[in-house]
Amino acid sequence: SGSIMENNDLLTKLARKRIAAELSQQELSEKANVPIGNIRNWEQRRTDINNAKVGHIARLARVINCHIEDLLD
C-alpha cells in the first residue's frame, strides 16, 4: 500500500492526507473544486500552501475530512 509514502517526511501534509484519503490529485481537484495545478504546486512546494486562498484550503480539508491546520506546512 502507500504506507511508505504516507510516512515520508519529504511529502507535504497535503500530499500525505490526500494519499491517506485514497484520492488522486485529479479526484481531490474535482471534489474540492480547486485547480489541479494549485494542488500540484503545493505538493511540490512550488507555491506555499500557507499563502493559499482560505476557501481553497477549507474545501480541501472538507473533502479530505481534516482540519485546515492539518494541511498547512
Side-chain angles (χ1 to χ4, degrees), residues 22-37:
E22 300 184 343
L23 292 167
S24 69
Q25 289 179 337
Q26 184 70 43
E27 287 169 330
L28 179 57
S29 169
E30 290 170 6
K31 288 175 188 279
N33 193 28
V34 174
I36 191 166

Side-chain angles (χ1 to χ4, degrees), residues 6-73:
E6 285 163 35
N7 296 328
N8 185 342
D9 288 339
L10 297 177
L11 289 182
T12 61
K13 291 179 182 178
L14 172 59
R16 284 201 296 272
K17 290 284 186 186
R18 176 180 62 73
I19 292 163
E22 300 184 343
L23 292 167
S24 69
Q25 289 179 337
Q26 184 70 43
E27 287 169 330
L28 179 57
S29 169
E30 290 170 6
K31 288 175 188 279
N33 193 28
V34 174
I36 191 166
N38 292 34
I39 294 170
R40 284 202 190 104
N41 285 339
W42 294 323
E43 290 194 1
Q44 292 165 11
R45 294 194 171 90
R46 283 208 206 102
T47 55
D48 187 352
I49 196 165
N50 299 299
N51 297 332
K53 291 180 183 165
V54 174
H56 282 172
I57 304 303
R59 292 199 299 273
L60 292 174
R62 192 165 65 233
V63 170
I64 294 172
N65 195 23
C66 68
H67 295 290
I68 289 174
E69 307 84 71
D70 295 336
L71 300 178
L72 301 180
D73 275 316

